């Protein structure tokens, strides 16, 4: 009996060992696959950062504690927090897709016209497009984390895409062809608004901005002066331009 049971025990052990080996190899394969993917992502990011810095960009990384694989320099993909491309010679913004954690982006003075890529940067809080030829800002409609938006001296005329950006604190529309600002109605946190040199004549919506603290209207022609007078009487609001300066 003992001699008969020994082969059976051995066969069970052998099958168990093969199963264990198969599982171990599968897990190792998955692990190496993940590490390979991380390394590829990190390499691609480094390449994009290098290319941006080559054209004069300033790239700021988030101050984060790296994970163990990162400490071993395996797939160290640091999160890019800010990119400053002020006056850089860049037309194609596609490389910015690599920076899904981007919080601040400055494209002022660049030759950029198409900003559709920015629709993918959901974490953006500060975006500056001053002195560009940008005219279509529909890509910004879902960037609900935006707190500061600079559109001064651009080709923007229609700001209806901004109607759902209720977290905006600063909005610069100065020296644009914007004529209607009803899209600001739900911006309950807006504190600073620049309308210098715009074609805005109806300022009714300004009375619906409870957090407004600074309003610049130089070279503008808002007609409903009673609203401006009411704002002027609020000691917390400073109005510059349009003969309303204190």
């Amino acid at each position: 009996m003992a001699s008969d049971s020994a082969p059976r025990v051995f066969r069970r052990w052998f099958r168990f060992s093969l199963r264990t080996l198969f599982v171990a190899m599968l897990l190792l394969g998955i692990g190496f696959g993940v590490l390979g993917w991380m390394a590829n992502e990190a390499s691609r990011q480094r390449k994009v950062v290098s290319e941006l810095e080559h054209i004069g960009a300033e790239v700021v990384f988030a101050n984060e504690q790296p994970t163990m694989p990162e400490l071993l320099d395996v797939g160290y993909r640091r999160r890019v927090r800010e990119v400053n491309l002020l006056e850089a010679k860049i037309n194609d913004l596609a490389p910015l897709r690599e920076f899904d954690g981007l919080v601040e982006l400055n494209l002022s003075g660049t030759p950029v016209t198409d900003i559709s890529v920015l629709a993918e940067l959901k974490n953006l809080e500060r975006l500056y497009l001053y002195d560009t030829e940008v005219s279509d800002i529909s890509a910004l409609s879902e960037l609900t984390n935006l707190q500061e938006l600079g559109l001064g001296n651009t080709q923007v005329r229609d700001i209806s895409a901004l109607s759902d950006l209720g977290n905006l604190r600063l909005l610069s529309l100065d020296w644009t062809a914007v004529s209607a600002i009803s899209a600001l109605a739900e911006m309950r946190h807006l504190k600073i608004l620049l309308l210098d040199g715009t074609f805005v004549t109806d300022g009714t919506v300004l009375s619906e901005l409870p957090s407004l603290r600074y309003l610049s209207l130089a070279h503008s022609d808002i007609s409903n002066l009673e609203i401006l007078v009411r704002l002027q009487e609020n000691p917390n609001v400073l109005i510059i331009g349009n003969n309303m300066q204190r």
Side-chain angles (χ1 to χ4, degrees):
M1 293 291 293
S3 59
D4 293 335
S5 61
R8 287 199 297 270
V9 171
F10 176 76
R11 284 194 296 272
R12 284 198 299 269
W13 176 86
F14 184 69
R15 285 197 299 267
F16 178 78
S17 298
L18 284 177
R19 189 182 303 117
T20 303
L21 179 62
F22 175 77
V23 172
M25 291 179 65
L26 179 61
L27 292 176
L28 282 173
I30 293 173
F32 282 118
V34 170
L35 290 177
W37 174 82
M38 291 172 61
N40 182 62
E41 289 288 298
S43 176
R44 192 168 61 194
Q45 185 199 62
R46 291 190 188 105
K47 181 181 178 182
V48 172
V49 169
S50 177
E51 291 173 348
L52 291 178
E53 290 179 335
H54 182 71
I55 62 173
E58 296 179 20
V59 179
V60 178
F61 293 91
N63 185 18
E64 297 175 331
Q65 187 68 30
T67 63
M68 183 56 69
E70 291 170 344
L71 287 172
L72 296 173
D73 201 30
V74 179
Y76 192 176
R77 189 177 187 271
R78 301 171 64 191
R79 186 167 69 92
V80 173
R81 181 177 176 82
E82 302 174 15
V83 174
N84 182 1
L85 284 158
L86 177 65
E87 298 182 348
K89 303 303 180 183
I90 184 172
N91 291 289
D92 183 11
L93 300 182
L96 296 179
R97 287 192 175 100
E98 292 293 321
F99 311 140
D100 52 5
L102 197 62
V103 172
E104 179 174 319
L105 176 61
N106 187 358
L107 293 169
S108 301
T110 65
V112 167
T113 56
D114 181 5
I115 61 170
S116 56
V117 170
L118 303 187
E120 301 176 34
L121 304 179
K122 305 295 186 182
N123 292 304
L124 269 181
E125 295 179 5
R126 297 178 293 278
L127 174 61
Y128 308 112
L129 297 167
Y130 298 107
D131 305 313
T132 65
E133 295 299 311
V134 171
S135 59
D136 181 3
I137 57 172
S138 57
L140 309 183
S141 63
E142 296 183 11
L143 300 186
T144 55
N145 287 313
L146 275 179
Q147 297 182 19
E148 297 183 9
L149 177 58
L151 297 173
N153 199 27
T154 62
Q155 300 302 308
V156 173
R157 293 174 176 269
D158 179 9
I159 63 167
S160 57
L162 308 181
S163 60
D164 292 328
L165 305 189
N167 285 315
L168 277 178
R169 269 68 170 173
L170 178 152
L171 177 59
S172 169
L173 299 172
D174 46 316
W175 306 106
T176 65
V178 170
S179 59
I181 55 173
S182 57
L184 310 184
E186 299 301 320
M187 296 186 184
R188 316 300 291 176
H189 302 290
L190 190 62
K191 294 183 177 181
I192 301 174
L193 177 60
L194 281 64
L195 295 174
D196 310 77
T198 62
F199 296 119
V200 176
T201 57
D202 184 0
T204 304
V205 72
L206 299 176
S207 62
E208 302 175 30
L209 305 176
S211 299
L212 192 62
R213 295 294 178 266
Y214 182 93
L215 176 62
S216 189
L217 298 169
H219 302 284
S220 65
D221 193 25
I222 291 182
S223 57
N224 27 9
L225 296 179
E226 68 280 0
I227 292 176
L228 298 182
V229 170
R230 198 178 314 134
L231 287 172
Q232 180 71 10
E233 293 173 348
N234 185 340
N236 295 318
V237 180
L238 176 62
I239 302 179
I240 303 295
N242 208 46
N243 298 319
M244 295 297 294
Q245 184 174 358
R246 284 193 178 95

